[in-house]
Amino acid sequence: MASNDRDLPDLSGDPQPGDLIEIFRPAYQHWALYLGDGYIINLTPVDETQAAAMSSVKSVFSRKAVVRMQLLKEVVGSDSYRVNNKYDHNHTPLPVSEIIQRAQVLIDQEVSYDLLGSNCEHFVTLLRYGEGVSEQQASRAIGAISLVTAAASAFSVLGLINTRSRNRPF
């Protein structure tokens, strides 16, 4: 579903080929590029099914990604999204035909992935503008990693408590 959040600028609408799509995951934003006819191109972890895509924790720690063409509605799932060509004011988009051609050549290719230097936003802006741009800052990445680490620690502690309580003789 498209985002209707009042705190966000109204950048939503029907995506057009070449548009950047910002998908709001629980702890971060995932980026894709709209190809047309309901399809997007985006980065997914190498060792996961297309359905799991970049929605998993594993994507934060991946060093490689696979370029996939998928249906926008399947990638978004129950999350929200918006068209967000936020860099158009200071970067000139390439012609749509060139954006689509550059994207199609990369489908099913394995590429390097780095949360801070070569992430999904860098990937789609490289396709749209010919230059990888990302405002996703280190503090946001560190915050997401901290959240994942805290959750993993909490589950470990809960598992340890549960195991100890089962092993009591009384």
Side-chain angles (χ1 to χ4, degrees):
M1 79 175 103
S3 175
N4 290 325
D5 191 327
R6 294 179 191 268
D7 294 335
L8 300 172
D10 184 19
L11 302 174
S12 61
D14 291 330
Q16 299 300 311
D19 279 344
L20 300 178
I21 306 293
E22 183 178 19
I23 302 167
F24 298 94
R25 300 290 192 219
Y28 64 98
Q29 285 78 42
H30 178 59
W31 289 82
L33 183 116
Y34 191 74
L35 296 175
D37 296 325
Y39 284 91
I40 53 110
I41 188 170
N42 70 135
L43 297 180
T44 65
V46 171
D47 58 349
E48 291 194 22
T49 64
Q50 289 184 22
M54 289 303 249
S55 62
S56 80
V57 172
K58 204 179 272 189
S59 67
V60 173
F61 301 105
S62 296
R63 300 297 294 166
K64 295 279 185 182
V66 175
V67 179
R68 301 256 191 239
M69 184 173 95
Q70 299 173 280
L71 284 170
L72 174 61
K73 66 181 181 179
E74 290 178 3
V75 174
V76 170
S78 62
D79 295 327
S80 61
Y81 75 92
R82 66 178 174 164
V83 172
N84 189 353
N85 299 317
K86 66 182 180 178
Y87 300 111
D88 282 6
H89 65 279
N90 58 4
H91 291 81
T92 303
L94 298 170
V96 172
S97 60
E98 186 176 338
I99 295 170
I100 302 304
Q101 180 183 12
R102 291 162 54 102
Q104 290 174 334
V105 168
L106 294 171
I107 294 171
D108 294 328
Q109 298 295 313
E110 189 172 296
V111 296
S112 295
Y113 180 86
D114 177 343
L115 183 63
L116 301 178
S118 184
N119 60 38
C120 55
E121 187 177 6
H122 286 107
F123 173 73
V124 297
T125 57
L126 181 62
L127 291 173
R128 182 170 174 84
Y129 305 110
E131 176 183 354
V133 184
S134 175
E135 289 180 354
Q136 294 184 23
Q137 300 169 345
S139 61
R140 288 171 68 187
I142 291 167
I145 292 168
S146 298
L147 176 66
V148 169
T149 303
S153 298
F155 287 124
S156 295
V157 169
L158 290 174
L160 182 61
I161 292 169
N162 192 20
T163 302
R164 285 186 179 169
S165 65
R166 278 188 267 140
N167 293 335
R168 288 187 183 164
F170 48 92

